[in-house]
Amino acid sequence: MNEHSGAPAKDPLESFTENDQRLLDEAQRALAERPRISISFRIGLSMLLNFFLVASAIVASITLITMVGTSEEFLEKVNSYLFETEHARRFEKNYLLYGSNLDDAITQVQTAHQLLRSMKENVVDLVGLKTFQEIEDNLDQYGIFLEKLNAIDEDRSLFPSMDRVQIERELRRMGAQMLADATALAEKEKLHLRIMIRTSWLVAAGSLFFIMIVMFFVSYLLQRQIARPLRRFVEYTHRIASGDYSPITPSKKYRDEFSHLAIAANSMLLQLKQREIQLARTSRMVAVGTLTAGIAHELNNPLNNIGLNAEALLEGLSSYPDEQKEKMLVDIMDQVERASATVRNLLDFTRIEKPIFVAIDLAKVIAEARRLLSNEAELADVEFEVQLPPNMSRIHGNPRDLQQVFLNLFLNAIQAMPDGGTISVLSSPAPEGFIRIEVTDTGTGIPAEQFGSIFDPFFTTKEVGGGTGLGLFVTYGIVGKHHGQLEVQSRVGKGTTFTVTIPIISPSEKES
């Protein structure tokens, strides 16, 4: 029970799952509560926008084409008007030269009057009402003078000869003005038509360019809104593959199909985490079972030996000679030390502490580890060859832990050479700021299929009771605490080399 809260302590895995569930629920709510703007809606909206742009361009083109057609029709009427005025002048000249075609001139002027009135609205739009009235007045005056000449021909007594000369002079002047008005009107409409045609081309080209820019921009936006989420989900998969199961949180202010994908991915993450926890619990139970079996056999043998020696010593306490009693007590102490070593290995595996680093001479640590195993090496017919430079740089580390590292490596090497052999310890070139020590044996080597497991806890190739499988796991952890690396190379039947690389000065001292 927790003294402060009065509640039972929770399993760390259950607490972690509850925290994951809380984070997941918050992420799922954040993903689901945003306003929905789907990719389908955005694609449809962009297509609708493009449709309106294309439709607007088509309508504008049709409008301009219609206006050009109307302008062409108007130009044809203007040309007809110009044709009538030109013929009226031609008949006028015939009359003045030969006295004929006056009626034809009057007819042409009347036809010109009808054309001018029929296109009044277009002429007013083109040149204005005032100019139209001037053109119409000039045409009327020209017709009046023609009528006067016709009246003189019918009754010469109506006008004196001097008046006829004046009328002919005014007729020529008004005819010239009438023809100039018609010509100017035709030229102005031609110019207007050319401007409209040029404008049509510019509008068509501008519309095409504008539509192309809009389509490119829309495509770019859609590509960003689809490709970027895809890249994010690729990153999510890499993150999940690396073991990071933190939930996916919103990255946009709205939700779409990728939001549903994120919600599904979060649900998958929870399932993966739950299965990982189940697997961790199963693995923990298997590990506990393996550890229990190993520890039981590891402790059972020395305890049995201690019990047998103690029982024999009690039964023959008075009859055994002192030498035999001393030998039995030494055997008991050896078995006690053996059991204590097993317990220490277990404590090294379970202990979580911050090691105390001091300046040490690694050569002395190696020499002490070699001395502690000198008896085992002698019994196994194993020789040591140590080649370390006399002026090897001092390192910062924990003497006890580093001694444990080399004890484990030496002991593994001895056990790998049941028929005897050599353990070589030498210093090899290392990166600047590091020391590299190689421990090489001439033993049986490590099979390739076991390389991925030799640093796992409880992994051992020895028979049950021959070891707990914690030595290399503890060694790997100690080297890691010293900010170093432990590497292995091996060939079956040739031997194995463990390489320990440790910094001369720890990162914490570098920072200080």
Side-chain angles (χ1 to χ4, degrees):
M1 300 288 289
N2 189 315
E3 294 180 358
H4 299 286
S5 64
K10 293 183 178 179
D11 187 296
L13 291 177
E14 292 180 358
S15 299
F16 192 77
T17 302
E18 290 178 0
N19 184 55
D20 274 0
Q21 185 65 54
R22 180 181 59 81
L23 293 176
L24 176 64
D25 291 341
E26 292 177 356
Q28 299 291 68
R29 282 197 300 271
L31 287 169
E33 290 175 356
R34 296 171 299 162
R36 176 179 172 82
I37 305 178
S38 68
I39 296 176
S40 302
F41 174 76
R42 280 175 279 166
I43 292 176
L45 187 63
S46 64
M47 294 300 102
L48 186 63
L49 174 61
N50 286 329
F51 170 77
F52 277 120
L53 288 175
V54 172
S56 299
I58 292 174
V59 169
S61 299
I62 292 174
T63 302
L64 286 171
I65 291 172
T66 303
M67 292 175 64
V68 169
T70 303
S71 182
E72 287 180 344
E73 292 177 0
F74 175 56
L75 180 60
E76 289 179 1
K77 291 182 178 180
V78 171
N79 287 331
S80 297
Y81 174 73
L82 176 62
F83 177 81
E84 297 297 333
T85 55
E86 287 176 342
H87 273 64
R89 290 300 316 274
R90 187 175 297 112
F91 291 139
E92 169 207 328
K93 291 177 181 178
N94 287 339
Y95 172 74
L96 294 177
L97 291 174
Y98 308 111
S100 62
N101 298 115
L102 182 60
D103 292 338
D104 293 331
I106 294 172
T107 301
Q108 295 296 133
V109 171
Q110 291 174 349
T111 303
H113 260 294
Q114 293 175 358
L115 283 172
L116 184 62
R117 292 192 186 98
S118 67
M119 56 183 183
K120 176 180 179 180
E121 183 177 352
N122 298 100
V123 175
V124 170
D125 291 337
L126 182 65
V127 298
L129 180 60
K130 181 179 180 181
T131 303
F132 172 79
Q133 290 176 346
E134 291 176 354
I135 294 173
E136 189 176 30
D137 289 343
N138 292 333
L139 183 62
D140 289 340
Q141 290 296 323
Y142 183 75
I144 290 172
F145 285 118
L146 288 177
E147 292 291 343
K148 286 182 178 180
L149 287 177
N150 188 41
I152 292 174
D153 287 344
E154 291 179 357
D155 188 357
R156 293 183 180 273
S157 63
L158 293 176
F159 295 95
S161 59
M162 291 300 297
D163 288 344
R164 179 184 176 87
V165 173
Q166 183 65 28
I167 291 172
E168 290 178 355
R169 184 183 299 114
E170 287 297 322
L171 179 65
R172 292 190 183 92
R173 185 179 68 80
M174 296 306 301
Q177 184 62 47
M178 176 191 66
L179 185 58
D181 290 342
T183 303
L185 187 61
E187 292 297 327
K188 197 171 187 65
E189 179 57 22
K190 288 179 183 178
L191 178 62
H192 180 250
L193 181 59
R194 286 196 295 270
I195 292 174
M196 289 186 64
I197 293 174
R198 188 181 300 111
T199 302
S200 300
W201 280 104
L202 291 176
V203 169
S207 300
L208 180 62
F209 180 75
F210 181 71
I211 291 172
M212 183 178 66
I213 294 296
V214 171
M215 291 182 68
F216 175 80
F217 181 70
V218 170
S219 300
Y220 172 73
L221 288 181
L222 289 177
Q223 185 269 340
R224 281 190 59 188
Q225 294 178 2
I226 294 176
R228 290 179 67 180
L230 286 176
R231 286 195 294 268
R232 283 201 305 271
F233 275 90
V234 170
E235 294 174 0
Y236 296 152
T237 58
H238 291 163
R239 174 166 63 86
I240 294 169
S242 66
D244 183 0
Y245 294 155
S246 55
I248 300 172
T249 55
S251 59
K252 297 178 292 189
K253 296 181 179 179
Y254 55 87
R255 59 188 172 94
D256 53 20
E257 287 80 355
F258 285 106
S259 302
H260 299 302
L261 180 59
I263 292 173
N266 282 339
S267 300
M268 178 192 69
L269 289 177
L270 179 61
Q271 296 295 324
L272 287 175
K273 188 60 187 176
Q274 289 174 344
R275 281 165 175 73
E276 184 185 52
I277 291 172
Q278 292 174 0
L279 180 61
R281 287 173 177 165
T282 303
S283 300
R284 185 170 64 180
M285 295 304 296
V286 172
V288 170
T290 304
L291 176 62
T292 302
I295 295 297
H297 284 83
E298 193 75 13
L299 293 178
N300 189 50
N301 289 334
L303 289 176
N304 283 338
N305 291 333
I306 291 171
L308 291 173
N309 280 303
E311 183 178 359
L313 187 59
L314 286 174
E315 290 177 354
L317 186 62
S318 58
S319 59
Y320 288 157
D322 290 343
E323 292 81 4
Q324 189 173 0
K325 293 177 183 177
E326 182 178 357
K327 182 178 180 302
M328 295 175 70
L329 288 173
V330 170
D331 287 342
I332 290 174
M333 291 301 298
D334 287 342
Q335 297 303 318
V336 169
E337 178 60 29
R338 180 180 173 185
S340 297
T342 300
V343 174
R344 283 197 301 272
N345 272 337
L346 180 61
L347 291 175
D348 287 338
F349 170 65
T350 57
R351 182 182 296 116
I352 300 175
E353 61 179 12
K354 184 178 181 180
I356 300 175
F357 291 83
V358 295
I360 58 175
D361 186 346
L362 191 59
K364 291 183 178 179
V365 172
I366 295 172
E368 181 63 16
R370 175 187 173 188
R371 185 188 65 79
L372 291 174
L373 292 177
S374 58
N375 290 335
E376 284 83 349
E378 184 177 353
L379 291 174
D381 194 21
V382 172
E383 295 182 354
F384 277 89
E385 292 183 358
V386 180
Q387 300 178 9
L388 298 177
N391 57 346
M392 192 166 60
S393 301
R394 295 168 67 86
I395 69 168
H396 286 228
N398 185 282
R400 176 182 171 277
D401 286 348
L402 291 176
Q403 186 182 97
Q404 183 69 36
V405 167
F406 290 100
L407 277 173
N408 290 340
L409 294 180
F410 293 162
L411 187 58
N412 276 355
I414 292 172
Q415 293 172 348
M417 297 182 290
D419 299 326
T422 302
I423 298 177
S424 301
V425 184
L426 56 90
S427 174
S428 61
E432 184 178 357
F434 288 83
I435 288 180
R436 178 173 287 163
I437 304 297
E438 294 183 356
V439 178
T440 304
D441 64 58
T442 57
T444 57
I446 303 172
E449 63 270 13
Q450 296 180 1
F451 255 77
S453 305
I454 59 174
F455 295 119
D456 292 345
F458 314 117
F459 176 79
T460 179
T461 58
K462 303 181 182 69
E463 297 180 356
V464 176
T468 59
L470 295 175
L472 286 179
F473 175 75
V474 172
T475 299
Y476 191 88
I478 292 173
V479 174
K481 290 178 183 178
H482 285 74
H483 307 286
Q485 291 183 341
L486 178 61
E487 301 170 315
V488 61
Q489 293 179 339
S490 183
R491 293 178 61 189
V492 176
K494 299 294 184 180
T496 302
T497 298
F498 283 91
T499 304
V500 180
T501 305
I502 298 179
I504 297 174
I505 299 176
S506 65
S508 60
E509 286 203 354
K510 288 181 181 180
E511 293 176 1
S512 61

